[in-house]
Amino acid sequence: MNAFHASNILIFAVVMCFSLSVQSENINPVNCQFDTAEKTVTPITFFLLSKPDETKALRDRIQDWVTEANYILANSCIPVERRVDNIIEINDSFEPLFSYSAMEVSERMLRYYFADKFATIDSNPFHYYGIVYSESASTALDNYCGSTYETKLPNYFQILSRCHKFGLEYTLGRLAWAQGSRDALANRIVSSINTDKTWLSELVKNNSSQQIVAAYQNYLKNKLPVWEQKYLKDYGFGYHCGGYGTLMAPISELETKVLPLYSTPLAQFKGEACGDSSYADNRRLMIEFYKSR
């Protein structure tokens, strides 16, 4: 299954569960130097939807996610720090009000029941918030582990407790408009063509992944509000290097073999560059995103 789905107008991402086996000594991360004052701190408020006996495990899981997120950012030399701001427990009797499959409804429910928390959250454009669904609250969600809806809910995410330690940063990367593999996106475009999209049907017949994705990106940009068009970058894709994928571009359909690194030509794995300045530089995208908001 694929982890990303896009409509013509609104971009919606679903994150699959990750697994990883990689030797860190084979990674040559970005040679990093920046002033600590340049670092952007992104507070995160987590709302836990769980039974009382699951709460401690979820809190530990959150710490693992945040630690790994900061490790990935450090490897990539991205001057951003993830920080837990608040962990708020939701009584599991409210579970029917916070459906994983209805993101906008769930987000509105948070704002209704926890209105006093949102004065702080909304005052900071870098303050993220989301629901963490425990195992008991997510048994019907198969292998999915997280989702975002960046055009309508730019700071909101949903994540399942079983999600791999890379899952939180992947989700936050999506909210910064970091994309997956360009070839994978081209394949998804081809496989999802509808018969009434004749312009796209003609496009994919004899063209490369680069041409297909470029045309689709241009189409999306024309549908997005002007203030969001700047976030959709030609160079914002993940990359494969040394038989693995960078964070946003898992190497296989099973979402395995993921490096703790955003795509960038400045880093290497097993002697291979892990990005391309023309189309696979998520590090650059992330830095520019946090400067532009």
Side-chain angles (χ1 to χ4, degrees), residues 73 76-80 82 150 169 172-180 217 221 229-238 248 262-265 276-277 279-293:
L73 293 165
S76 309
C77 193
I78 297 171
V80 172
R82 311 300 186 196
E150 51 264 41
E169 187 55 36
L172 298 179
R174 286 296 321 168
L175 288 176
W177 298 74
Q179 308 266 354
Q217 292 262 86
K221 283 182 179 179
Q229 291 178 11
K230 64 182 179 181
Y231 296 133
L232 203 57
K233 303 293 188 182
D234 294 337
Y235 50 83
F237 292 94
M248 307 305 295
Y262 278 97
S263 64
T264 171
D276 184 293
S277 60
Y279 74 94
D281 197 347
N282 273 331
R283 173 183 179 268
R284 175 185 170 192
L285 177 145
M286 293 286 288
I287 292 172
E288 292 177 350
F289 176 82
Y290 284 102
K291 286 183 177 179
S292 67
R293 289 193 78 184

Side-chain angles (χ1 to χ4, degrees), residues 108-284:
R108 286 198 296 270
M109 289 296 99
L110 285 181
R111 288 183 174 275
Y112 177 78
Y113 285 104
F114 301 97
D116 59 318
K117 307 298 182 185
F118 278 87
T120 299
I121 292 173
D122 292 339
S123 67
N124 184 347
F126 301 119
H127 196 140
Y128 294 103
Y129 61 99
I131 299 177
V132 181
Y133 292 81
S134 70
E135 194 65 32
S136 64
S138 60
T139 53
L141 296 174
D142 299 321
N143 290 325
Y144 291 111
C145 86
S147 56
T148 63
Y149 199 172
E150 51 264 41
T151 56
K152 282 199 169 182
L153 302 170
N155 288 57
Y156 175 66
F157 62 89
Q158 296 180 163
I159 191 166
L160 277 59
S161 61
R162 63 169 171 259
C163 192
H164 191 271
K165 61 183 178 179
F166 279 75
L168 176 65
E169 187 55 36
Y170 182 106
T171 304
L172 298 179
R174 286 296 321 168
L175 288 176
W177 298 74
Q179 308 266 354
S181 161
R182 186 174 68 180
D183 288 344
L185 177 56
N187 290 337
R188 286 195 291 275
I189 292 170
V190 172
S191 64
S192 64
I193 288 175
N194 211 318
T195 53
D196 62 346
K197 296 178 184 174
T198 54
W199 68 273
L200 191 54
S201 300
E202 290 299 316
L203 172 72
V204 303
K205 284 182 179 178
N206 299 304
N207 287 305
S208 66
S209 295
Q210 178 181 357
Q211 293 168 313
I212 293 169
V213 171
Y216 190 67
Q217 292 262 86
N218 186 60
Y219 178 73
L220 277 179
K221 283 182 179 179
N222 290 333
K223 296 295 181 180
L224 290 171
V226 173
W227 60 88
E228 289 182 338
Q229 291 178 11
K230 64 182 179 181
Y231 296 133
L232 203 57
K233 303 293 188 182
D234 294 337
Y235 50 83
F237 292 94
Y239 200 77
H240 295 160
C241 53
Y244 279 66
T246 55
L247 174 66
M248 307 305 295
I251 199 70
S252 74
E253 292 297 312
L254 297 176
E255 311 295 316
T256 57
K257 294 187 175 181
V258 186
L259 296 172
L261 185 75
Y262 278 97
S263 64
T264 171
L266 301 178
Q268 293 185 342
F269 179 62
K270 294 184 177 179
E272 295 182 20
C274 288
D276 184 293
S277 60
S278 65
Y279 74 94
D281 197 347
N282 273 331
R283 173 183 179 268
R284 175 185 170 192

